[in-house]
Amino acid sequence: MRTDRLVAVLLLLQRREQVTAAEVAQELEVSERTARRDLDALAMAGVPVYSTQGRGGGWRLVGGARTDLSGLTAGEARALFLVAGPASAATPAVKAALRKLVQALPEPFRAQAEAAASSLVMDPRRWGSSRVEHRPPRFLDDLQDAVIRGVQVRLGYVDSKGAETERTVHPLGIVAKGPAWYLISHTETGRRTFRIDRVTSADPTGDPVHRPEDFDLAESWREIADGIDRKRTPLEVQAVCAPHAIGILRIGFGDRLEVGSTTTDGRIDVVIRGHDDYTLAGELAGLVEWLEVTGPPGVRGHLASIGNALVERYS
């Protein structure tokens, strides 16, 4: 409790230019004698605090100093508080914690941090899409708590085919992908990924999680996401593209595009992934001015059919 009070006194000194022992006592609900002892303890601990006597006197930080308890730089403070804005995806608990942390920041960090919190609006919807409110899944907080505490969970789950299962998992981390949340866990059959909105129950067992020493959540998710992308888009098309159109391909295909080397005629080799011949041919048909598909034959055949249909209809 003494340590908590000393921190509270220091925060009070940072917020106000000067405080009296009576003000500290009233703020912390202690006696003036206790308040004076706490102020003296700060000075003895090396905090640059001093007192002035007489009318109008009180306690101040030396030179108006602002000791940054958080250890943040100005840029770090601004970046942190960007996630606390009214339109951010941060949970209420995160926003409440950041509002408290702002009191520990020195001036002018505090004013800039508060400005950062209201400087950004994030709208995840694409133009023309409907407004859908995505609520966090029911067991998100429980599973995040299990990850943080490092305890195993008895997990009830319904898979994509509707099959219900129950198993004990070792939660390793949580990932948000667009509006969906995923739990990455170690199980008796190896590492598994679970969509949290399909979790039907999550009961901590109290047993410790067995976490691989080399586990890295970001790297693990990259491997998982790459695997999922390749399962969703197993077909690869080879093509050559005009250099000035590479930017258009990046916009249209994103991670499904792989850019290769420059050919002898100045064009660029590319590989584009898709779901099937017909669908991918439809995506590529409008790029004929810049793109020449060299394979596979199925996609080239569908492109020829699309071209003949266009000629027949519009000639």
Side-chain angles (χ1 to χ4, degrees), residues 240 262-268:
V240 285
T262 303
T263 64
T264 55
D265 62 1
R267 292 183 295 177
I268 298 174

Side-chain angles (χ1 to χ4, degrees), residues 184-202:
I184 299 177
S185 295
H186 179 71
T187 71
E188 60 183 9
T189 58
R191 193 167 301 171
R192 289 285 309 277
T193 303
F194 302 92
R195 275 188 59 140
I196 297 180
D197 58 353
R198 293 179 183 161
V199 172
T200 58
S201 62

Side-chain angles (χ1 to χ4, degrees), residues 83-139:
V83 307
S88 78
T91 65
V94 170
K95 293 182 179 181
L98 290 174
R99 283 196 295 270
K100 293 178 180 178
L101 178 60
V102 76
Q103 300 302 327
L105 295 173
E107 295 289 357
F109 287 18
R110 193 181 313 151
Q112 293 180 11
E114 290 171 339
S118 60
S119 67
L120 178 68
V121 169
M122 298 181 66
D123 185 352
R125 294 177 298 142
R126 294 185 177 184
W127 293 111
S129 64
S130 60
R131 182 178 183 86
V132 179
E133 297 293 339
H134 297 286
R135 296 182 178 179
R138 176 183 173 189
F139 293 101

Side-chain angles (χ1 to χ4, degrees), residues 7 19 35 38 111 256 277:
V7 172
V19 295
D38 288 344
R256 291 193 286 148
D277 288 353

Side-chain angles (χ1 to χ4, degrees), residues 31 34 43 59 89 109 131 138 148 183 219 245 263-264 281 302 304:
S31 67
T34 297
W59 292 79
F109 287 18
R131 182 178 183 86
R138 176 183 173 189
I148 293 170
L183 172 69
E219 180 60 31
T263 64
T264 55
H302 282 301

